[in-house]
Amino acid sequence: MAGPAQPSFVVEFVGVPGAGKSTLSHAVATALRASGEIVTEPTYDITRGRDRRWRKAIFAAHTLLRHPWLSVVGLGQIIVSRQRTLRDLGFGAFNFLYICGLMKKIAREPGIHILDQGYFGALWTIRFSAAASTPLASLIRTGLQCSGRDGLDLVLLIEARPQTVLARLRARPGADSRLEGRGEASPFAARLDAAFCTLEQIRATLETLARDGQGCLRLETVDKDAPQGWEQTEAVASLVRSASKSTARPSHRPVDRAAVTLQSKVRGAPS
């Protein structure tokens, strides 16, 4: 049976609501298991469990108890971002503490850990709901200190056209994403535009931090508007498998967006 070379390898899929993060991450995890890899999907499993609120609360409490000062610093950074509502503030703070606690746990466990709603997704939510400039780089460093990591091993940015996102959101039962419902006064088109702008801010921050070996060790882009199905799943699974086997874990890796994009592989064009 094959297994990852590193004791713990953490992968996060990041994108706007409706981009297809959970669908693709789950398909990739299934493909990796079929090839003999040890794989967990902690956020996918927790979100779909009946006891999800209690499990998230336990992880959030662990973060507060183990890192009280860093927790206060992180919460202070969220507060100064001036979240639009108290609900947004509570949700963002709770999610931040929960994800930090979860990452602390999986850092000690062997295998490939795939997050469909992970650390940078939590930061996207905080920035999206902020009325003031959010210190993303500082918040990233604070959260990583809480979770006991220098950075995630691999971050996959999921890109999709606005039309694709809109179609997927409309096909979902209910309206529970950050882009839908909840008494939002601004037009949906404006919120969708803000969602993509926020994702670009996350990307830019990650690229800046990655040059100093922080935030993530490797940043890739996946085009969800490219032909999908088995070929795309296998392309992403192959990337994750290869990255997890790498014996070179550089502290400094400049991010070359042209070199790391998966779009050419998925479309069948020469890389």
Side-chain angles (χ1 to χ4, degrees):
M1 298 274 292
Q6 304 299 331
S8 176
F9 189 85
V10 182
V11 184
E12 181 176 350
F13 288 67
V14 183
V16 302
K21 303 182 297 294
S22 298
T23 301
L24 181 59
S25 69
H26 187 57
V28 168
T30 301
L32 288 170
R33 288 193 191 97
S35 68
E37 302 292 347
I38 302 171
V39 182
T40 71
E41 300 175 80
T43 54
Y44 186 92
D45 294 337
I46 288 174
T47 302
R48 284 154 184 77
R50 292 183 177 180
D51 59 347
R52 60 184 179 276
R53 290 185 179 87
W54 286 108
R55 295 178 69 183
K56 289 182 178 181
I58 289 172
F59 282 119
H62 283 176
T63 301
L64 283 168
L65 292 173
R66 292 173 180 172
H67 304 285
W69 172 244
L70 285 173
S71 297
V72 169
V73 171
L75 293 176
Q77 291 167 336
I78 296 172
I79 290 172
V80 299
S81 72
R82 290 171 49 206
Q83 297 292 292
R84 292 189 179 92
T85 67
L86 286 176
R87 181 175 180 176
D88 288 336
L89 175 60
F91 180 85
F94 176 79
N95 210 34
F96 174 78
L97 294 172
Y98 146 61
I99 288 295
C100 288
L102 176 65
M103 286 178 57
K104 182 83 170 181
K105 176 179 180 292
I106 63 179
R108 303 189 299 267
E109 298 178 350
I112 300 173
H113 307 290
I114 295 180
L115 310 179
D116 68 328
Q117 298 179 24
Y119 184 62
F120 296 109
L123 293 181
W124 178 92
T125 297
I126 292 168
R127 182 65 190 92
F128 178 74
S129 301
S133 178
T134 310
L136 285 175
S138 298
L139 198 51
I140 287 172
R141 294 188 185 99
T142 301
L144 290 174
Q145 283 183 281
C146 285
S147 59
R149 300 185 62 92
D150 295 327
L152 272 70
D153 299 291
L154 175 62
V155 174
L156 296 171
L157 286 169
I158 311 301
E159 294 186 337
R161 289 191 298 268
Q163 300 92 323
T164 303
V165 170
L166 180 59
R168 290 192 179 120
L169 291 176
R170 285 176 173 171
R172 286 181 176 180
D176 59 353
S177 80
R178 308 295 291 176
L179 290 175
E180 303 164 280
R182 299 177 9 145
E184 291 283 357
S186 58
F188 180 83
R191 299 200 301 276
L192 187 61
D193 183 61
F196 281 100
C197 288
T198 301
L199 184 63
E200 284 305 308
Q201 291 170 2
I202 294 289
R203 181 208 298 271
T205 303
L206 277 172
E207 290 178 345
T208 299
L209 289 174
R211 294 188 185 101
D212 298 323
Q214 302 176 23
C216 66
L217 295 182
R218 186 168 180 178
L219 178 65
E220 302 274 358
T221 301
V222 180
D223 182 8
K224 278 293 286 178
D225 285 313
Q228 299 176 29
W230 180 83
E231 288 187 0
Q232 184 181 60
T233 298
E234 285 300 311
V236 180
S238 177
L239 168 69
V240 174
R241 186 184 303 109
S242 173
S244 71
K245 303 295 184 186
S246 174
T247 56
R249 303 292 292 278
S251 59
H252 174 80
R253 177 191 170 105
V255 176
D256 181 352
R257 195 180 304 182
V260 300
T261 183
L262 281 179
Q263 295 176 22
S264 59
K265 294 181 183 179
V266 174
R267 290 181 174 138
S271 56

